[in-house]
Amino acid sequence: LSSVAVIYGIGDIVDKTESPTTFSPDNIKEVLDDIRKDTSVNNVLLYINSGGGSVTASEKIRNMLLNFKKETGKTLTVSMNGLAASGAYWISTAADYVYASPETITGSIGVFSLGISADKLLNEYGVYEDGVETSELARTSIAREMPQSQKIEYQLSVESIYKRFITIVRNAHPELQKVDYREFAEGRIFTVYDAKKLHLINDIDTFDNLIANAKKQIEKDKNTICKVKHFVGIDSHFILKRMLSTHIQGLVSDNTLKMLLSWFDTASVKGSNTQKTKIMATSAFTSIDL
C-alpha cells in the first residue's frame, strides 16, 4: 500500500500559536513527524494559501521541509492556491516542484518592518519619556521620536533579510540566477501566468489535479493501490461542539445546549496552556472542509 500525504499551510505565518491549524513551525513539525512514521507515504503535497508573515517562522518551516526531504528522500510538491506571497513564497522554495492554480497571486518577494510611533500624540497631551541608557539603540520608545541610528539599524536588518530572500529564490530556481532581481522581486506580486514566465513556478495546475496525478503516478510506478492521506490539525473541542450541535440538538433545551457549548469554549481557553487540545487526522479523506 502506498499513499500521498497532503499537508496545509493556510493564513498568516506565525512563530507561536495555541491553534493546531495555524501556519506555524510547531504545527508543521508535528505533521512532518507523523508522516515520517508512516511508511506508506511516497511523496508530500503542501497546500498553501497564505499572504506570508514572520520571517523567522518562514525560515524555520523552510528548513524543516528541506531536512525532511533530505532525511526521507520523499518528493515535496507545493500547490499554491489563491494567495502564496512573501513568507509563503519563501517556504515554497523548499519544494521540488511548485504549481499554482489559475487564480493564484504570488510573489511579493520583499521584506518590511513596522513600528508604532505615538510620540507626537503623546507629546501634545504632555506625555514625555526620559531616562538613561548605555546607547540610544538600547530601547525603543513610543513617547519620543525614533533616533536616526535605530532607523539605520532596522534598515540594515531589512536589507540583509531581503538579500537572503533573493538568494534563496535564485537557488531554488536556477533560471533566475542571471536575471536582474528587480524583475521578480521588489515586493511585486504576479498573476500565475506572469509567475510562470518569470520561472517563479514550474507550472499551472489545480490542487485536485495534482492529487489525482500523484496518486495515478504512484500506482503506475509501484503497481499498487495508492491512498491520499490528509494530515490536518483539528481542535478536539471543535469536534465535541460539532457532535453536541448535531446529535443533542432537539433532545435538550436550547438553553442547556448553549450552556454546554459555552462550557467547551471556556474549557478550551483555560486549558490551552496545560492540555494538549489537538488530534492529528492521518486517515484518508475524500473531502475536507477548511
Side-chain angles (χ1 to χ4, degrees):
L1 180 66
S2 297
S3 63
V4 177
V6 183
I7 62 178
Y8 295 84
I10 300 173
D12 293 340
I13 303 165
V14 300
D15 294 288
K16 293 290 181 181
T17 178
E18 293 291 342
S19 169
T21 56
T22 300
F23 202 175
S24 71
D26 288 344
N27 289 341
I28 294 297
K29 179 182 182 303
E30 185 157 347
V31 294
L32 291 179
D33 286 345
D34 284 342
I35 293 171
R36 282 187 178 93
K37 299 171 188 174
D38 191 334
T39 57
S40 74
V41 173
N42 290 89
N43 55 34
V44 179
L45 177 62
L46 170 58
Y47 174 105
I48 289 182
N49 189 348
S50 169
S54 164
V55 171
T56 304
S58 299
E59 178 64 355
K60 283 182 180 178
I61 294 171
R62 187 184 76 93
N63 279 318
M64 284 179 191
L65 295 172
L66 290 173
N67 290 334
F68 172 83
K69 285 170 48 183
K70 185 177 180 180
E71 292 169 10
T72 64
K74 301 183 192 301
T75 300
L76 173 66
T77 300
V78 160
S79 172
M80 296 178 170
N81 298 268
L83 182 63
S86 195
Y89 190 83
W90 182 303
I91 290 169
S92 78
T93 60
D96 297 292
Y97 304 100
V98 180
Y99 293 86
S101 59
E103 72 279 2
T104 297
I105 297 297
T106 189
S108 190
I109 298 170
V111 184
F112 66 90
S113 177
L114 294 177
I116 298 176
S117 177
D119 58 289
K120 292 182 180 178
L121 175 64
L122 293 173
N123 295 168
E124 184 177 344
Y125 287 90
V127 179
Y128 294 89
E129 186 173 346
D130 204 352
V132 295
E133 59 269 333
T134 56
S135 165
E136 62 182 6
L137 297 174
R139 63 171 172 162
T140 300
S141 305
I142 62 168
R144 62 181 181 183
E145 187 177 357
M146 180 186 291
Q148 186 62 27
S149 59
Q150 206 164 62
K151 291 180 181 178
I152 294 172
E153 180 187 36
Y154 288 151
Q155 183 65 40
L156 291 173
S157 176
V158 167
E159 289 177 0
S160 175
I161 296 170
Y162 183 40
K163 288 178 182 178
R164 175 160 172 72
F165 197 171
I166 292 169
T167 300
I168 287 172
V169 172
R170 280 180 166 158
N171 289 341
H173 302 281
E175 301 90 344
L176 297 174
Q177 290 287 357
K178 296 182 179 180
V179 176
D180 187 335
Y181 73 91
R182 286 171 291 191
E183 292 291 320
F184 61 86
E186 296 291 83
R188 297 164 61 196
I189 58 174
F190 305 97
T191 65
V192 67
Y193 303 101
D194 288 334
K196 184 180 178 182
K197 289 178 184 177
L198 289 166
H199 302 289
L200 292 175
I201 63 173
N202 293 103
D203 212 341
I204 303 168
D205 210 344
T206 65
F207 176 60
D208 290 339
N209 279 346
L210 290 173
I211 291 179
N213 292 338
K215 184 173 180 292
K216 189 182 299 182
Q217 188 62 48
I218 290 173
E219 289 180 338
K220 179 181 177 182
D221 294 342
K222 301 287 184 178
N223 193 28
T224 184
I225 296 173
C226 179
K227 289 189 175 182
V228 179
K229 295 184 178 182
H230 297 262
F231 289 73
V232 187
I234 304 174
D235 190 327
S236 58
H237 286 89
F238 172 81
I239 294 175
L240 292 171
K241 287 167 65 178
R242 177 66 66 86
M243 290 173 63
L244 280 172
S245 298
T246 304
H247 300 292
I248 298 182
Q249 193 170 19
L251 300 178
V252 299
S253 67
D254 289 342
N255 286 336
T256 302
L257 180 58
K258 288 178 181 178
M259 181 182 71
L260 287 170
L261 293 175
S262 176
W263 181 86
F264 277 113
D265 282 336
T266 304
S268 178
V269 172
K270 288 183 178 179
S272 61
N273 292 324
T274 57
Q275 300 175 12
K276 189 176 183 181
T277 57
K278 69 176 82 171
I279 60 174
M280 302 308 299
T282 57
S283 59
F285 294 110
T286 55
S287 64
I288 187 165
D289 295 326
L290 297 172

